[in-house]
Amino acid sequence: MDTSQDSILAEVTGSDYKYGFVSNIDTETIQKGLNEDVVRIISAKKNEPEFMLEFRLKAFKYWQTLKQPEWAHLKIPAINFQDIIFYAAPKQKKQLNSLDEIDPELKATFDKLGIPLNEQKHMTGVAVDAVIDSVSVKTTFKDTLAEIGIIFCSFSEAVHEHPDLVKKYLGTVVPYTDNYFAALNSAVFSDGSFCYIPKGVRCPMELSTYFRINAANTGQFERTLLIADDESYVSYLEGCTAPMRDENQLHAAVVELVAMENAEIKYSTVQNWYPGDKNGKGGIYNFVTKRGICKEKNAKISWTQVETGSAITWKYPSCILKGDNSVGEFYSVALTNNYQQADTGTKMIHIGKNTRSRIVSKGISAGFSNNSYRGLVKVLRGAEGARNHSQCDSLLLGSTCGAHTFPYLEVDNPSAIVEHEATTSKIGEDQIFYCNQRGIKTEDAVGLIVNGYAREVLNQLPMEFAVEAQKLLSISLEGSVG
Amino acid sequence: MSEIVNIYKDLFEANKLLLLNNVPHGLKIKREEAIHHFLEKGFPDRKSEKYKYTQLDNYFGNGYNKSLEYPKINVSVADIFRCDVPQLETHLLILANGKFYRFDQRGNLPKGVTICSLKDAIKTNPQIVDQYLGKLSKDEDVYASLNTAFATDGFYIHIAKDAALDKPLQIVNLLLSEEDLLVQYRNLIILEENASANIMVCDHTLSIHHFLSNIVTEIFQEKSSKLDLIFMQNEHNNSIKMQSTYVNQESHSDSNINIFTLHGGLVRNNINVLMNGEYANNSCNGFFMADGSQHIDNFTFMHHAKANCESSQLFKGILDNEAKGIFNGRILVDIDSQKTNAYQKSNGILLSDTARMNARPQLEIYADDVKCTHGSAIGQLNDDAMFYMRSRGISKPESRLLLLHAYAYEIVEKINIEPLRERIDEMVGKRLRSELARCHNCPMHCC
């Protein structure tokens, strides 16, 4: 590789994280550390009913018996759980009645992030639940949605107002015994979003959650529970950002999706947590358990993710295809730069007959980063006629990064067809030359090629997100020629 | 430490005289280090990524005669075993229960070619054995360490610089005993610069007893050497086989390894290839067929440590009844191994509702100017192809057979020696027709 390309790469890796500001919001926190009392305090602070406290304590006891998993292709520094604040909330003195009562600083924060909290003015037609540090601060369009029976609110609110639903579904898709970080989340989760789409309702707008870690030394542990009842449809978006800090912060979330008969859930994520500086200092550790179940027949769950942030990403959005004819999809673009590490992929568990799944994963590595795809396709004995196709491509930009693929295919049914394809490549010199010839600068050409490479996945994103995701990819990758 | 591990601790203590006395100093140290590594690690369990689908520790427990002094064979092996492929003349080396039995050479061996038992090689060429033995397997795998600690015999092939083995060498390992037996043996193949060899290794069981084999073969290919190696695994349902093969390839060397698993109770093949010189070329293929409750696990690790090398792997399996097939392939491309081409493909056909296939094709790549692909497909015979045949009046079983045979031929055709290719193709065909897969004039009654 010649030096001019090296310098372009260096320039690009030096680009700033534009969401790295810190907002000056009064925050209420509890003492550092994790023990049973902390779990009780969190539960008490949220005024939770007894069943929630029980759930948390069971999870905490179980978590204590576990060891941090080591199977991922990641170098995870030891995490000192006693050095983390497990609950932080922007101070709020009373229940808010209108937007004007929100802390102006908080509002400014969301304006900077470009998140439309002000429902009167914005035209995008997206209902937003904004979660800062650990607490949901504002849910827009709640009333409009309530008219057609959709429940969209913060998790804490749901616990109080719809305890039956929460009790019925909490932990059914991701039980607290699932894994180390799911157990931790179950014990200390502070808030998140809750959404219920009733029978036969097609949600008229995109539902969206924005997560923001603001306070120092805190971890964010949110939990999302989304239920789509028979014949319903919902598209859900999730975005995340965090300030630039030298120390690492922990984010361990759980997302549970339940799709009933003929229901469809489309879940899109643009993950842009602070990835650390160019020397690999700081950044968010993103350990997330996301799973959906197609509980009844003809249900469909589609995950789309654009992963550009976080120092370490450990994330496998999965589908349990239990209902006959149900469909699971996973579209992912994972980009790592500098010293970022990502081990991400999916699990498709085929249980019902004629279930179908499709996996498209596009990994892009640059700098000194390591990017792994890890995916399981499991076809159980009863999954007659199951069909899977997986495609995992990796693009290497530079000779110091790594791209890895670890697929697991387990097939117990002879009528199943499972296919996996993977390629690893770099941007071809001929492609760059072709663009150069037509007067496109090398930098722009790379942006163009990378966006084209990721197009199959970006196309799956809702409009607003697709634009943001494309910009994100260009910012991180312009000019990095391998 | 688990009970099973303790058995081997005691076994090593009891045989210290045989294993550590009167052996070259280097070997003594290697055996001590190996048993230490084994005792420290113990047998891998389900949590081990490498042995996730195949657990062998229980077999290594009680129930097999573990004596290092093998029981004497009462019958003449030559009488009950004949293996002749028309138009093919081979040197024939016979091992019985992993121990050197005899060597029939056709004419004089070319200058620079040494073929003997490992036991003899330790005595006659201690420096060479010391230089190579255990070099690739050291601390790599507990089963290989177990073998290093206990194996005292096996075959030894050394081809000096510019020499070539004139005729193919057939190595036949026969398992024959009057009780259940643990067999561990160790092989060395050393090809010096520009040397070449054509080797075929066949495994057969001659008595119905349970056999547990733990075999390690280390292969060293110096510059521009060329090796053609075929493993033919054909054992009965009571046999359990753990076979590890390590290959070290220097620059411009060429290696072609084909593994055919036609029959066997539980078979695990570990193939570790280190591309340690530029412009080396490796082709590694496997075909396996399993029915009943057979379990076949192929594990490959292709390590591209130098630039400009090429490797390709193709593994295919046919699984019937309650059989289980596993393919686990890993390609690792180091940071400076630019211009690497690495290909890997695995296919599995499931013929019954209860057959299972697991595949894990893995890529781990640290260099950017490489071409690496892997593909994996698990399914059944193509309906369209079946329909095409049926519409031309070919019966259902016959169409099925034709398709399966064609599917297998993609691997069979990689055999470079024509008479041998035809013979193996015939054996595959027989196996597909549920006949015993043995040559038609072979009087053996294995399986």
Side-chain angles (χ1 to χ4, degrees), chain A residues 339-374:
Chain A
Y339 287 89
Q340 277 177 275
Q341 304 176 63
D343 193 305
T344 182
T346 183
K347 286 193 230 174
M348 293 289 172
I349 317 283
H350 292 257
I351 302 173
K353 290 187 176 59
N354 300 317
T355 45
R356 280 170 292 150
S357 64
R358 179 172 154 82
I359 299 171
V360 178
S361 166
K362 305 268 182 185
I364 303 160
S365 336
F368 297 89
S369 68
N370 270 305
N371 197 334
S372 310
Y373 165 82
R374 185 184 302 275

Side-chain angles (χ1 to χ4, degrees), chain B residues 75-333:
Chain B
V75 287
S76 158
V77 172
D79 281 349
I80 56 164
F81 179 74
R82 279 196 308 275
C83 183
D84 58 335
V85 180
Q87 299 143 19
L88 181 68
E89 246 197 322
T90 62
H91 302 293
L92 178 67
L93 187 146
I94 299 180
L95 300 171
N97 296 333
K99 199 181 170 191
F100 180 80
Y101 182 76
R102 72 177 215 209
F103 179 48
D104 291 339
Q105 62 186 62
R106 301 274 166 107
N108 288 334
L109 287 178
K111 201 167 167 270
V113 175
T114 315
I115 299 172
C116 65
S117 72
L118 184 73
K119 208 172 194 170
D120 287 346
I122 292 170
K123 284 183 199 134
T124 54
N125 292 310
Q127 299 88 351
I128 298 182
V129 173
D130 193 42
Q131 187 188 342
Y132 290 107
L133 189 101
K135 198 174 160 189
L136 300 174
S137 68
K138 189 173 185 285
D139 295 343
E140 203 275 328
D141 182 272
V142 286
Y143 293 101
S145 290
L146 195 64
N147 180 290
T148 310
F150 289 102
T152 54
D153 207 352
F155 61 81
Y156 170 90
I157 296 160
H158 183 270
I159 318 266
K161 192 177 169 196
D162 296 328
L165 196 54
D166 54 340
K167 298 184 182 76
L169 167 67
Q170 189 180 14
I171 296 162
V172 179
N173 178 48
L174 303 170
L175 294 171
L176 172 65
S177 82
E178 276 156 15
E179 58 185 322
D180 296 350
L181 189 67
L182 166 68
V183 174
Q184 303 203 63
Y185 66 98
R186 181 80 173 208
N187 315 312
L188 262 185
I189 300 175
I190 301 156
L191 301 188
E192 288 193 358
E193 198 176 326
N194 218 10
S196 70
N198 232 319
I199 302 168
M200 177 181 180
V201 183
C202 308
D203 295 304
H204 292 284
T205 37
L206 291 186
S207 65
I208 198 68
H209 298 93
H210 290 72
F211 292 100
L212 172 61
S213 320
N214 182 23
I215 306 155
V216 175
T217 308
E218 284 176 286
I219 300 167
F220 296 86
Q221 286 191 252
E222 298 298 332
K223 270 185 206 159
S224 309
S225 60
K226 189 171 184 312
L227 174 70
D228 244 295
L229 179 63
I230 298 166
F231 286 105
M232 187 78 196
Q233 302 174 330
N234 206 359
E235 298 181 1
H236 62 48
N237 282 337
N238 290 337
S239 73
I240 288 144
K241 185 180 205 65
M242 169 79 219
Q243 175 172 305
S244 307
T245 308
Y246 294 87
V247 187
N248 182 69
Q249 285 188 253
E250 295 298 333
S251 60
H252 295 276
S253 62
D254 190 357
S255 189
N256 184 13
I257 300 172
N258 296 300
I259 301 182
F260 294 88
T261 312
L262 293 186
H263 216 282
L266 188 158
V267 180
R268 160 79 180 215
N269 291 312
N270 284 350
I271 300 137
N272 295 271
V273 178
L274 175 63
M275 310 287 256
N276 208 10
E278 291 195 28
Y279 300 100
N281 192 349
N282 181 290
S283 155
C284 179
N285 311 293
F287 174 72
F288 54 96
M289 237 188 295
D291 55 13
S293 57
Q294 294 174 345
H295 178 117
I296 318 276
D297 183 348
N298 283 308
F299 174 96
T300 68
F301 177 33
M302 219 31 89
H303 185 173
H304 284 264
K306 292 279 153 57
N308 296 308
C309 293
E310 184 165 334
S311 72
S312 79
Q313 298 170 66
L314 175 62
F315 278 80
K316 289 182 140 189
I318 300 175
L319 300 153
D320 202 353
N321 304 133
E322 274 138 40
K324 191 168 179 189
I326 295 128
F327 173 73
N328 190 333
R330 181 170 161 221
I331 295 174
L332 170 63
V333 180

